[in-house]
C-alpha cells in the first residue's frame, strides 16, 4: 500500500488486527463475559470492559495501582471475580458495579478454578487450598508454592501445578504426581480440549498431553513446536493455541498438525499474557495492547524463503562468490554470510547449516544470526550448506551450498614423510656408529685410568703405613729408654708388655685397608694407657661411644684415628705440666650416615704448639700430621662421600685447647637402624 509522503506501507496479514488504545496497554488478565465483551485487568491495577465490535471501553476500577493477578467469570458470564494484589471484589457484568469481598486469603492469588459450583481451588505463593463457596478453607491440597490449577469436569479431577511438580487430585482428593520419563513437570498453564485430553505447557520443556492421568506425549521443537519455551495456551474445541517466544501456533490435536504465525506474518508481539475467544476471533492480550486473529483466515500458506550465501570471507578478506574454492593449507579460517528473500526476513528467519566433511549434523542458530565462522579447519574437502528451518528434510532445492578444498601442507604429504623417515634412519645409523666408537674408546681409557689410579693409591697407602708404624715405634722406644735410664724397671717391664701388644695389633692392622671400629678403640685404649704411664699418671682420658653405634659392625680406614690422638698428646698436652685431659667421642649422624670422631684436649693450643716447635725444630713438620693429610686426599680419591678433618682452636681468655673433628661417611650396613 502506497502513502502520501510516508513511503510504502506493508500489511503482512489483513486478518490480524491490532487495537490501539492507551487503556488496553499492559493487560495481565482477560476474561470473556456476556455478549461479545471482555473484562480485563492490567499490571497497573486498571479494571475495565471492552467491546471489540464497537471499540467501546467502560472503566470499572482505577482506585489502586496494584496488579490484577486473576480474573474469573461465573454465572454464565453475569459476574466476575477480580483479584488484585491489594484487594478482591465481585463485579456485576451488567451494571459494572462491584463490591469488595472481605477475603484477605484471595489477595494476590495466582490461579482460581471453580469446582462443581460448590468449591474453589486456590493457588498462591504459599500453597494450594480447596475453598468453600464463601472462600473459606476446606482443605490444604499442597504446602508449597503453586502457580496454576485446573478442574476437569470430564475427569472429576483437580490438576495442580506447583514449584515441585504437576499433581492430580481425584474425587477423594488423593494426590498423585504426574511425571514424564521419570522426570518432574513444572507447569505454566493447564487447559483441556473437547476430546478429554489435558494439555500442560511448561516454560522450558515444551507441551505435555495427559489422558486418564497418564502423561503419554511430549511435544517439543523436534515435534513441530517453534520453541520449547511456552508462554500461554488456550483450547478451542480440539484446537490448541500455543504462544511461544518464537511465534504463535495452532495445533490440530486430532490430526496432529501445526499452523504457525510469526512476526513475518504480522504478529505484533509474542509477550502474550492471556487469550480469549469470541466467535471466530482469537484475542491476545500483550504488553503492547490487544490484537486479534481470525482463527480460519489468519493462517496463510507459508512459503519457504529462498536462502542463499551472500558473502564468503577467507581469513579477513572478502572474496568473490563462487561455487568452488581451492584453498592453500593456511587459508583454513572461513566465514559464510547468508540471507533469505522475503519481507523482514532478516528479523524473522532462522537458519540451519552444516559443513559436510567436518560435521554432517544440521545446526540451528536460535539467535537468528545470518553468519557462521569456521576456524583452523584441517586439510580436506568440504561442502557448506544452508537452508531455512521451514524447509523439509528432503527438499534439496531449498539448500544453497558452497564447496571448497583445503590443501595439505607439504610436511603432511606422503613423499615428505618418506624422505623424513629415510633421513632419520640414516642419522640414527650414523649416531649409533659414532656412539659405539666413542664408547669403546672411552671405556678403554677409563679402564686404563682406573687401573693406574688403583695401583697408585695402593702403592701410596702401603708406603704411608710403612712410614707411620716405624714413627710410633720410635716414639714408644724412646719412652722405654727413659724408664730404663731412670732405673724404673717395673714401669719399663709393664710398659714393654703393653707396647708389644700394641705393636702386634698395629702389625695386624697394617695388613688391612679397613678395620672394625671396635678394634680401633681397643688399640687406642692400649696406646693411651702407655701414654698415661709415660706421663706418670698425669693424664686423664675418656673414650665415649654413642649408644646408636655398634662398634663391631662399623669399618673405618686402618691406623686412621691414632695419629690425631698422638698429635693431641705430643703437641698439646706434652707441654702442660698438670691437669692434662683428653676426650675421644664417637657419634653418628643417622640422616647423613656419617661417623663422627671428636678428639678434644685442654693442652696449650695450636698456635702455642707451633711457636714452641718452630723454636726447637725450625724445619720440622709432624710426620703423623703430614702423613694423614696425604692419606685423607688419597682415600677421598676413591670415594663419592669425602672424609673431612677439621682442627678447631678452643682458646679463650681463661683456657686453651684444641678440637679435631673427623667425619667418615659409612655404608648402610654399618648403621644400627634400631
Amino acid at each position: 500500500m502506497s502513502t502520501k509522503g510516508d513511503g510504502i506501507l506493508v500489511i503482512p496479514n489483513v486478518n490480524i488486527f491490532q487495537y490501539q488504545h492507551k487503556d488496553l496497554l499492559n493487560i495481565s488478565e482477560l476474561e470473556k463475559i456476556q455478549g461479545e465483551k471482555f473484562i480485563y485487568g492490567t499490571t497497573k491495577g486498571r479494571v475495565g470492559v471492552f467491546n471489540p465490535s464497537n471499540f467501546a471501553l467502560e472503566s470499572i476500577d482505577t482506585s489502586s495501582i496494584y496488579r490484577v493477578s486473576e480474573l474469573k467469570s461465573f454465572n454464565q458470564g453475569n459476574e466476575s471475580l477480580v483479584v488484585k494484589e491489594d484487594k478482591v471484589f465481585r463485579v456485576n457484568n451488567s451494571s459494572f458495579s462491584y463490591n469488595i469481598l472481605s477475603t484477605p486469603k484471595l489477595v494476590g492469588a495466582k490461579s482460581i478454578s471453580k469446582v462443581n459450583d460448590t468449591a474453589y481451588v486456590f493457588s498462591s505463593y504459599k500453597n494450594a487450598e480447596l475453598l468453600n463457596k464463601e472462600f473459606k478453607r476446606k482443605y490444604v491440597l499442597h504446602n508449597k508454592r503453586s502457580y496454576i490449577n485446573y478442574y476437569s469436569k470430564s475427569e472429576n479431577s483437580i490438576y495442580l501445578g506447583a514449584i515441585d511438580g504437576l499433581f492430580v487430585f481425584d474425587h477423594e482428593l488423593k494426590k498423585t504426581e504426574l511425571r514424564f520419563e521419570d522426570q518432574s513437570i513444572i507447569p505454566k498453564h493447564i487447559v483441556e480440549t473437547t476430546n478429554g485430553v489435558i494439555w500442560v505447557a511448561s516454560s522450558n520443556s515444551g507441551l505435555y498431553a495427559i489422558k486418564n492421568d497418564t502423561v503419554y506425549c511430549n511435544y517439543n521443537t523436534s515435534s513441530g513446536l517453534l520453541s520449547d519455551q511456552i508462554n500461554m495456551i488456550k483450547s478451542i474445541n480440539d484446537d490448541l493455541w500455543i504462544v511461544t517466544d518464537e511465534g504463535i501456533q495452532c495445533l490440530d490435536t486430532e490430526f496432529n498438525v501445526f499452523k504457525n504465525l510469526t512476526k513475518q506474518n504480522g504478529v505484533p508481539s509474542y509477550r502474550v499474557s492471556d487469550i480469549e475467544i469470541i466467535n471466530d476471533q482469537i484475542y491476545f492480550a500483550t504488553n503492547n495492547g490487544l490484537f486479534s486473529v481470525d482463527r480460519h483466515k489468519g493462517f496463510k500458506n507459508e512459503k519457504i524463503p529462498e536462502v542463499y550465501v551472500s558473502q564468503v570471507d577467507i581469513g579477513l578478506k572478502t572474496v568473490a562468490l563462487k561455487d568452488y574454492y581451492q584453498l592453500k593449507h593456511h587459508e583454513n579460517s572461513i566465514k559464510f554470510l547468508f540471507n533469505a528473500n522475503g519481507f523482514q526476513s532478516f528479523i524473522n528467519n532462522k537458519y540451519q547449516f552444516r559443513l559436510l566433511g567436518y560435521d554432517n549434523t544440521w545446526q540451528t542458530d536460535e539467535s537468528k544470526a545470518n553468519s557462521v565462522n569456521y576456524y583452523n579447519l584441517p586439510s580436506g574437502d568440504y561442502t557448506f550448506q544452508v537452508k531455512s528451518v521451514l524447509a523439509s528434510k528432503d527438499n534439496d532445492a531449498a539448500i544453497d551450498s558452497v564447496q571448497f578444498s583445503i590443501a595439505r601442507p607439504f610436511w603432511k604429504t606422503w613423499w615428505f614423510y618418506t624422505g623424513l623417515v629415510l633421513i632419520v634412519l640414516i642419522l640414527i645409523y650414523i649416531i649409533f656408529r659414532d656412539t659405539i666408537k666413542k664408547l669403546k674408546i672411552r671405556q678403554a681409557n677409563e679402564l686404563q685410568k682406573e687401573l693406574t689410579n688403583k695401583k697408585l693409591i695402593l702403592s701410596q697407602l702401603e708406603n704411608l703405613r710403612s712410614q707411620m708404624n716405624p714413627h710410633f715405634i720410635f716414639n714408644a722406644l724412646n719412652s722405654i729408654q727413659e724408664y730404663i735410664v731412670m732405673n724404673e724397671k717395673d714401669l719399663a717391664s709393664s710398659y714393654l708388655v703393653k707396647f708389644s701388644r700394641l705393636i702386634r695389633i698395629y702389625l695386624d692392622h697394617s695388613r688391612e685397608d679397613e678395620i672394625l671400629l671396635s678394634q680401633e678403640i681397643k688399640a687406642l685404649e692400649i696406646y693411651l694407657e702407655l701414654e698415661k704411664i709415660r706421663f706418670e699418671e698425669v693424664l686423664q682420658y675418656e673414650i665415649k661411644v654413642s649408644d646408636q653405634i655398634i662398634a663391631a659392625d662399623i669399618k673405618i680406614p686402618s691406623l686412621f684415628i691414632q695419629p690425631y690422638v698422638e698429635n693431641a698428646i705430643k703437641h698439646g698436652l706434652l707441654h702442660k705440666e698438670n691437669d692434662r685431659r683428653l676426650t675421644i667421642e664417637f657419634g653418628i649422624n643417622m640422616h647423613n650416615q656419617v661417623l663422627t670422631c671428636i678428639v678434644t684436649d685442654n693442652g696449650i693450643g695450636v698456635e702455642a704448639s707451633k711457636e714452641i716447635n718452630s723454636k726447637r725444630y725450625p724445619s720440622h713438620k709432624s710426620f703423623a700430621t703430614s702423613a694423614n693429610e696425604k692419606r685423607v686426599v688419597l682415600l677421598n680419591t676413591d670415594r663419592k662421600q669425602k672424609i673431612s678433618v677439621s682442627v678447631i682452636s678452643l682458646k679463650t681468655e681463661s683456657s686453651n685447647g684444641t678440637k679435631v673433628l673427623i667425619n667418615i661417611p659409612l655404608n648402610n650396613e654399618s648403621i644400627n637402624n634400631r
Side-chain angles (χ1 to χ4, degrees):
M1 179 183 296
S2 61
T3 64
K4 188 175 181 180
D6 292 327
I8 297 175
L9 176 64
V10 178
I11 302 176
N13 195 332
V14 295
N15 295 301
I16 296 178
F17 186 81
Q18 190 168 6
Y19 299 86
Q20 303 287 346
H21 196 287
K22 62 182 180 62
D23 289 347
L24 296 178
L25 297 177
N26 301 307
I27 295 176
S28 58
E29 295 292 328
L30 194 66
E31 185 78 3
K32 179 184 176 182
I33 57 176
Q34 60 186 4
E36 297 182 355
K37 299 177 183 178
F38 294 115
I39 185 170
Y40 66 90
T42 71
T43 58
K44 299 190 180 295
R46 178 181 293 274
V47 180
V49 173
F50 176 61
N51 188 339
S53 62
N54 58 12
F55 299 93
L57 276 169
E58 183 75 30
S59 180
I60 296 176
D61 176 54
T62 59
S63 61
S64 73
I65 61 172
Y66 290 95
R67 179 180 183 272
V68 176
S69 61
E70 179 68 310
L71 270 176
K72 287 292 180 183
S73 64
F74 303 107
N75 299 330
Q76 289 79 42
N78 293 316
E79 289 185 334
S80 296
L81 182 69
V82 180
V83 179
K84 285 189 173 184
E85 292 181 350
D86 65 333
K87 62 183 177 181
V88 180
F89 53 89
R90 193 189 301 270
V91 177
N92 185 312
N93 293 335
S94 298
S95 64
F96 303 137
S97 61
Y98 67 89
N99 61 299
I100 297 176
L101 304 179
S102 58
T103 54
K105 177 179 287 295
L106 293 181
V107 174
K110 299 289 185 182
S111 178
I112 299 175
S113 298
K114 196 170 185 180
V115 180
N116 288 335
D117 296 326
T118 60
Y120 296 91
V121 183
F122 162 77
S123 293
S124 72
Y125 70 94
K126 288 184 179 180
N127 58 14
E129 299 180 11
L130 188 66
L131 309 178
N132 61 19
K133 294 180 67 174
E134 288 74 34
F135 301 109
K136 304 296 183 183
R137 178 191 292 174
K138 291 180 62 177
Y139 185 77
V140 176
L141 298 173
H142 197 66
N143 265 324
K144 291 187 178 180
R145 180 182 299 178
S146 177
Y147 299 113
I148 192 72
N149 59 66
Y150 177 79
Y151 172 69
S152 172
K153 292 182 179 180
S154 62
E155 298 285 342
N156 193 22
S157 299
I158 298 171
Y159 293 87
L160 181 70
I163 193 173
D164 55 343
L166 173 65
F167 303 90
V168 60
F169 298 81
D170 62 14
H171 64 283
E172 296 178 350
L173 297 183
K174 179 182 178 182
K175 181 168 71 172
T176 304
E177 183 181 5
L178 300 179
R179 300 166 68 88
F180 183 72
E181 294 181 350
D182 203 33
Q183 297 293 320
S184 294
I185 300 171
I186 308 301
K188 195 169 184 179
H189 290 280
I190 306 172
V191 298
E192 184 178 5
T193 48
T194 54
N195 55 12
V197 177
I198 304 296
W199 298 91
V200 177
S202 71
S203 58
N204 57 15
S205 57
L207 184 69
Y208 296 91
I210 302 170
K211 187 72 174 177
N212 298 324
D213 294 340
T214 300
V215 183
Y216 69 89
C217 185
N218 172 222
Y219 290 85
N220 49 41
T221 53
S222 62
S223 310
L225 279 179
L226 293 177
S227 171
D228 289 338
Q229 183 175 331
I230 300 177
N231 300 326
M232 176 69 61
I233 56 174
K234 186 76 171 181
S235 62
I236 306 173
N237 300 324
D238 285 340
D239 290 342
L240 188 68
W241 286 77
I242 307 163
V243 180
T244 74
D245 60 342
E246 295 291 342
I248 297 174
Q249 297 180 276
C250 180
L251 172 62
D252 185 334
T253 61
E254 182 179 358
F255 297 102
N256 201 31
V257 175
F258 283 97
K259 292 185 289 185
N260 303 332
L261 286 173
T262 65
K263 290 181 180 179
Q264 191 173 7
N265 305 125
V267 174
S269 175
Y270 300 149
R271 295 179 62 184
V272 175
S273 57
D274 211 344
I275 305 173
E276 270 301 344
I277 304 138
I278 295 180
N279 300 326
D280 288 336
Q281 294 293 317
I282 313 296
Y283 292 86
F284 298 87
T286 74
N287 59 318
N288 292 326
L290 192 70
F291 72 90
S292 65
V293 177
D294 189 301
R295 57 181 294 200
H296 300 299
K297 301 177 182 178
F299 297 98
K300 299 190 296 184
N301 292 329
E302 197 159 25
K303 182 180 179 181
I304 298 173
E306 181 183 348
V307 178
Y308 58 93
V309 176
S310 59
Q311 182 178 315
V312 177
D313 293 347
I314 297 175
L316 299 176
K317 182 180 178 182
T318 300
V319 298
L321 285 175
K322 295 191 297 184
D323 292 333
Y324 177 77
Y325 296 89
Q326 179 67 54
L327 306 178
K328 298 178 181 179
H329 72 272
H330 61 275
E331 296 175 327
N332 58 352
S333 294
I334 188 166
K335 177 181 180 180
F336 294 98
L337 285 83
F338 35 85
N339 214 325
N341 294 328
F343 175 67
Q344 290 188 331
S345 63
F346 64 96
I347 296 176
N348 299 297
N349 263 320
K350 282 201 302 185
Y351 302 93
Q352 287 185 321
F353 50 84
R354 64 182 177 180
L355 185 60
L356 297 176
Y358 183 74
D359 184 0
N360 295 343
T361 305
W362 286 103
Q363 305 292 327
T364 302
D365 192 339
E366 299 294 339
S367 65
K368 299 181 181 177
N370 67 332
S371 65
V372 61
N373 291 276
Y374 295 98
Y375 299 101
N376 300 319
L377 291 171
S379 303
D381 298 323
Y382 300 96
T383 300
F384 174 75
Q385 295 182 329
V386 60
K387 66 176 182 177
S388 170
V389 294
L390 301 175
S392 63
K393 294 181 180 179
D394 301 325
N395 188 2
D396 293 339
I399 299 174
D400 194 20
S401 61
V402 175
Q403 294 181 328
F404 62 96
S405 297
I406 301 176
R408 290 178 179 271
F410 74 89
W411 59 84
K412 289 188 177 180
T413 57
W414 67 268
W415 54 266
F416 178 81
Y417 284 129
T418 303
L420 186 62
V421 169
L422 290 175
I423 292 172
V424 169
L425 290 175
I426 292 172
L427 288 176
I428 290 174
Y429 171 74
I430 294 173
I431 293 170
F432 180 75
R433 184 190 63 185
D434 290 348
T435 301
I436 295 298
K437 184 177 179 181
K438 291 178 181 178
L439 185 60
K440 289 180 179 179
I441 294 172
R442 187 187 306 159
Q443 287 177 340
N445 291 339
E446 288 180 354
L447 182 60
Q448 185 63 36
K449 183 179 178 181
E450 188 70 22
L451 292 173
T452 302
N453 287 340
K454 288 287 185 180
K455 290 178 182 179
L456 178 60
I457 291 170
L458 291 175
S459 175
Q460 289 171 321
L461 288 175
E462 288 295 332
N463 184 43
L464 284 173
R465 287 198 195 102
S466 66
Q467 290 178 352
M468 188 178 296
N469 292 337
H471 173 66
F472 172 70
I473 294 170
F474 177 76
N475 288 339
L477 290 175
N478 279 343
S479 298
I480 295 172
Q481 184 182 16
E482 288 180 15
Y483 291 140
I484 294 173
V485 170
M486 296 172 63
N487 202 24
E488 297 285 347
K489 296 179 182 180
D490 293 337
L491 193 57
S493 176
S494 175
Y495 195 94
L496 187 59
V497 170
K498 292 181 179 180
F499 174 70
S500 64
R501 288 176 58 198
L502 186 61
I503 291 297
R504 177 64 180 269
I505 290 173
Y506 282 162
L507 289 174
D508 291 339
H509 290 181
S510 67
R511 290 192 292 268
E512 304 291 338
D513 290 330
E514 289 184 327
I515 61 170
L516 296 174
L517 178 60
S518 59
Q519 293 174 317
E520 182 74 11
I521 293 172
K522 182 178 179 181
L524 286 174
E525 289 175 343
I526 298 173
Y527 169 74
L528 289 172
E529 287 179 9
L530 293 176
E531 292 288 31
K532 185 173 183 179
I533 294 172
R534 188 164 71 89
F535 279 106
E536 298 178 350
E537 304 296 332
V538 188
L539 173 64
Q540 298 178 19
Y541 67 87
E542 184 178 9
I543 300 176
K544 300 179 181 179
V545 182
S546 170
D547 293 338
Q548 291 183 297
I549 295 175
I550 300 178
D553 291 343
I554 295 177
K555 286 188 175 184
I556 62 173
S558 62
L559 305 175
F560 190 70
I561 304 297
Q562 187 271 340
Y564 296 104
V565 177
E566 179 185 345
N567 277 347
I569 294 172
K570 182 176 180 181
H571 300 292
L573 299 175
L574 179 64
H575 303 293
K576 192 172 183 180
E577 295 181 356
N578 52 37
D579 190 26
R580 299 185 181 101
R581 295 193 302 274
L582 177 69
T583 304
I584 305 171
E585 300 177 72
F586 290 95
I588 191 165
N589 187 320
M590 299 295 290
H591 178 69
N592 295 326
Q593 303 180 14
V594 174
L595 175 70
T596 302
C597 176
I598 303 174
V599 180
T600 308
D601 68 77
N602 66 339
I604 63 174
V606 176
E607 297 300 326
S609 175
K610 286 182 179 179
E611 185 178 350
I612 292 172
N613 288 333
S614 64
K615 291 178 180 179
R616 291 185 179 180
Y617 315 105
S619 60
H620 173 76
K621 182 177 182 180
S622 170
F623 171 79
T625 301
S626 175
N628 259 30
E629 287 177 356
K630 293 179 180 178
R631 193 173 180 204
V632 168
V633 173
L634 291 171
L635 286 170
N636 283 339
T637 301
D638 209 21
R639 285 175 173 265
K640 290 183 179 179
Q641 292 180 288
K642 309 298 183 182
I643 296 173
S644 65
V645 179
S646 303
V647 179
I648 303 169
S649 175
L650 302 178
K651 182 178 181 180
T652 63
E653 293 181 359
S654 58
S655 63
N656 289 304
T658 305
K659 179 191 289 186
V660 179
L661 176 61
I662 306 169
N663 291 319
I664 305 174
L666 301 175
N667 295 326
N668 291 335
E669 301 86 50
S670 303
I671 299 175
N672 175 24
N673 291 318
R674 293 175 299 173

